[in-house]
Amino acid sequence: MAEKTKWLSVAIIPLLLSLFLGHSYVTIPSLECGALYLALGRTVAFPNSDGYTSSLRSYYALQSQQHAPSCIIRPQDNRQVSVAVTVLTYAARTMNAMGLRRPIFSIRGGGHSTSMTSVNNDGIVIDLSRMKTIQINDEQTVTSIGPGAKWVDVYLKLDAMGLAVPGGRVADVGVAGLTTGGGISYFSPRKGFVCDNVVNFEVVLASGIIVDANATSNSDLFFALKGGSNNFGVVTLIQLKTFPQGKLWGGDIIYPISTRSEQFSVLEDFTADLEYDEYSSLISSYAYVGDSASWIIVNNLIYTKPIDHPPETFRPFTDIEPQIHSTLRLSNLSDFTIELGGKSGAHDRVIYTAITIPNEAELFNDVFTFMNDSLQHLLHRQMPGLVFAMSHQALPSSITHRSKETGGNVLGLDSTSKPQVLLNLAILWADEKDDLAVDSVARAIFAKIDVRLKQRQSERGGDGGGEDGRKPWIYLNYAAPWQDVITSYGEGNVQKLRKTSKKYDPNGIFQHNVPKGFKLFR
């Protein structure tokens, strides 16, 4: 295994633990935090400190902000991450051998996850938000990005240089989480998933060793990280392919819900187009906005060429009338991601769920019916700040073809499959008392979708819910904690992921001691 270095000898850890234990009896979580403090000093923040409070308040979802970890580590470089992981791994192995409760920890990049993956109660959080370097090589072909950077940080720097990388479409989303979850960008139809454009991952393994994972070094780990999320180590640097990019054309069009049938028909034709324009990207959403007590449709149209008029591929959408509002314009990538981020509901209570369905207008309409019926269960609760939305994102075959060309990923989307549509349910609300009701409604909607997909497949002689008889693919970055993301990657990829986990993390630290997220052995 090619490796860089390790910054803390295991031999010194018992001394750190004994120094902390020698003073007084402490609870087990405080034991690890005390050892970490002795090793890392003020990099470790405790409850009621400014660093601890600012870290929690910077999470996207209000539910995440309300967690209470025992301490938060805020490393500034890979050396400090290595020290932290080494201490935690030693503590986990020692406490497990003694029959004590193993310490838990979470890894936080940008803190945008809605599945609460990057936070916990009574454990430790490794908060990478201070590690946000952005460096472009001399040839301007590779950008090296720290895991704590957000996409808007990257785009603001690259826009000024006439460059771009495939990355998130919402400004405040973090680089590391989106990339290791697969990642969809405005460039995906011609560049593949964001993870397909990674040149190299720098990773701290459970042993504390820092390694590079790329096409020639630790290539199995490289493959696994392209969709495998937090199951293998702590990613401390991501290097992405970089290319020249001018301005983009696009923006939002808002329509009344009365245009729904026409929208669904146009969406099916757009996604199914055998001559799909790979410069085009679409997010078509409908939303019930509680403050106005009405449904609307919002189409986010982006064309990644600097044109001054609507491209022909978007004409069917721009021709739909009536329109309530339009922001179509020529602008840069930063501006468009800031616009989309302005609608994403930061610091509300949030739940996301996801599933991929066949590209059929009839199914889109069925899902809307499920949404509208389920909405009634929330309306009688008179929930302040309610937003109830479903987005449709075209997954043309060109995306999976690009993935195959770059060596593939673990997501499991077949490059020969028909175009599909990714659904993302997003519910935003304000009051904690409504949490269980919202979760119940989200589960009920997706249970109905699952039944409908199985019915459709049965009618066509298959046994799965997705296209070509396959189980529907679930996009990790939109998934709810109760969704079975890893299984949706397909059995072959599941086995590859498990094999890689056992090789690089033989004690299962990132399975058992990092329990949140979508695990490999459940």
Side-chain angles (χ1 to χ4, degrees):
M1 181 190 304
E3 63 185 62
K4 293 184 174 180
T5 188
K6 181 174 178 175
W7 288 96
L8 182 68
S9 169
V10 172
I12 199 173
I13 298 176
L15 175 60
L16 295 175
L17 294 174
S18 64
L19 284 172
F20 189 68
L21 280 171
H23 295 288
S24 61
Y25 174 79
V26 292
T27 59
I28 292 298
S30 294
L31 170 62
E32 297 91 63
C33 288
L36 288 163
Y37 183 77
L38 289 172
L40 293 168
R42 294 189 178 184
T43 299
V44 182
F46 293 91
N48 301 316
S49 69
D50 290 343
Y52 182 98
T53 301
S54 64
S55 176
L56 282 180
R57 286 181 177 173
S58 65
Y59 278 90
Y60 166 68
L62 187 57
Q63 302 103 302
S64 293
Q65 297 177 28
Q66 294 174 336
H67 282 71
S70 294
C71 62
I72 299 175
I73 312 166
R74 304 178 71 205
Q76 299 185 66
D77 54 37
N78 62 2
R79 177 191 67 83
Q80 292 180 334
V81 175
S82 173
V83 170
V85 173
T86 303
V87 171
L88 289 167
T89 294
Y90 181 88
R93 295 177 62 184
T94 301
M95 293 161 65
N96 185 53
M98 297 170 63
L100 300 175
R101 184 170 72 88
R102 291 157 60 121
I104 64 168
F105 63 102
S106 302
I107 306 156
R108 178 251 170 98
H112 201 275
S113 168
T114 61
S115 60
M116 310 303 125
T117 299
S118 58
V119 71
N120 60 64
N121 286 312
D122 302 322
I124 296 103
V125 173
I126 301 177
D127 178 356
L128 304 171
S129 61
R130 297 165 80 181
M131 297 175 60
K132 47 189 178 184
T133 184
I134 303 167
Q135 297 181 335
I136 300 96
N137 68 351
D138 292 341
E139 296 78 16
Q140 297 189 341
T141 56
V142 176
T143 301
S144 300
I145 309 169
K150 297 185 177 182
W151 288 108
V152 69
D153 303 325
V154 179
Y155 299 151
L156 286 170
K157 187 164 187 173
L158 294 180
D159 280 343
M161 302 174 67
L163 301 171
V165 294
R169 296 162 296 179
V170 172
D172 284 339
V173 168
V175 170
L178 180 128
T179 304
T180 57
I184 301 173
S185 82
Y186 286 131
F187 303 104
S188 284
R190 60 188 174 102
K191 300 290 185 180
F193 289 94
V194 175
C195 66
D196 296 323
N197 294 272
V198 175
V199 176
N200 182 69
F201 292 103
E202 181 185 82
V203 191
V204 176
L205 302 178
S207 62
I209 293 171
I210 304 170
V211 302
D212 283 324
N214 51 55
T216 59
S217 179
N218 302 310
S219 57
D220 49 354
L221 178 60
F222 180 54
F223 182 78
L225 286 168
K226 295 195 284 185
S229 193
N230 66 350
N231 284 295
F232 308 98
V234 182
V235 173
T236 51
L237 192 70
I238 295 172
Q239 295 176 289
L240 280 170
K241 295 176 185 175
T242 305
F243 53 90
Q245 177 63 47
K247 289 189 174 182
L248 297 76
W249 177 93
D252 293 339
I253 307 177
I254 302 176
Y255 313 79
I257 197 66
S258 58
T259 64
R260 184 179 79 251
S261 295
E262 186 175 1
Q263 299 276 359
F264 290 162
S265 178
V266 168
L267 173 62
E268 179 180 346
D269 291 343
F270 171 82
T271 305
D273 190 350
L274 294 177
E275 298 182 358
Y276 186 94
D277 187 334
E278 296 179 0
Y279 288 88
S280 61
S281 179
L282 167 72
I283 305 174
S284 181
S285 307
Y286 50 81
Y288 179 89
V289 182
D291 291 346
S292 61
S294 62
W295 286 96
I296 57 170
I297 293 176
V298 183
N299 284 337
N300 178 247
L301 309 171
I302 297 293
Y303 198 74
T304 58
K305 272 186 179 179
I307 58 175
D308 58 5
H309 57 276
E312 285 302 314
T313 189
F314 285 145
R315 286 284 182 188
F317 296 100
T318 58
D319 287 347
I320 295 176
E321 296 287 351
Q323 297 179 9
I324 298 171
H325 181 66
S326 172
T327 66
L328 297 178
R329 66 201 184 279
L330 196 64
S331 191
N332 60 35
L333 185 55
S334 303
D335 183 37
F336 286 120
T337 63
I338 291 169
E339 179 181 42
L340 193 59
K343 300 188 288 289
S344 64
H347 308 313
D348 290 317
R349 307 188 79 78
V350 187
I351 187 171
Y352 281 5
T353 55
I355 198 169
T356 304
I357 67 171
N359 177 41
E360 296 175 7
E362 180 183 356
L363 288 177
F364 306 155
N365 193 65
D366 289 341
V367 172
F368 176 79
T369 299
F370 301 153
M371 288 279 289
N372 196 37
D373 290 347
S374 298
L375 174 64
Q376 310 313 311
H377 295 288
L378 299 179
L379 291 181
H380 79 276
R381 301 180 67 89
Q382 298 182 338
M383 296 166 56
L386 176 65
V387 177
F388 190 69
M390 182 72 81
S391 73
H392 306 70
Q393 301 181 38
L395 293 177
S397 301
S398 60
I399 296 179
T400 49
H401 281 299
R402 296 293 176 267
S403 297
K404 186 176 182 179
E405 291 170 0
T406 58
N409 54 53
V410 299
L411 302 176
L413 286 169
D414 190 340
S415 63
T416 63
S417 65
K418 298 177 182 177
Q420 300 179 68
V421 171
L422 171 62
L423 298 183
N424 172 210
L425 170 66
I427 308 176
L428 286 67
W429 71 104
D431 201 320
E432 186 176 0
K433 68 179 176 60
D434 296 313
D435 286 5
L436 291 178
V438 171
D439 185 76
S440 177
V441 164
R443 289 173 184 263
I445 291 169
F446 274 71
K448 290 179 180 178
I449 293 173
D450 187 57
V451 169
R452 178 66 184 90
L453 292 179
K454 288 178 179 177
Q455 177 189 38
R456 173 193 176 276
Q457 200 62 42
S458 177
E459 293 167 355
R460 289 161 172 75
D463 60 0
E467 194 60 71
D468 303 325
R470 296 165 56 90
K471 300 296 182 184
W473 177 65
I474 301 173
Y475 180 42
L476 184 147
N477 291 329
Y478 293 163
W482 37 265
Q483 293 192 277
D484 191 1
V485 172
I486 300 300
T487 298
S488 79
Y489 290 180
E491 182 61 25
N493 282 326
V494 171
Q495 293 307 316
K496 289 178 183 178
L497 289 168
R498 289 176 175 173
K499 182 179 179 181
T500 303
S501 171
K502 291 177 180 178
K503 176 179 176 180
Y504 292 92
D505 182 19
N507 294 296
I509 299 298
F510 287 93
Q511 297 305 306
H512 306 297
N513 298 89
V514 184
K516 287 197 171 185
F518 303 96
K519 302 287 101 175
L520 306 179
F521 295 93
R522 291 181 181 170

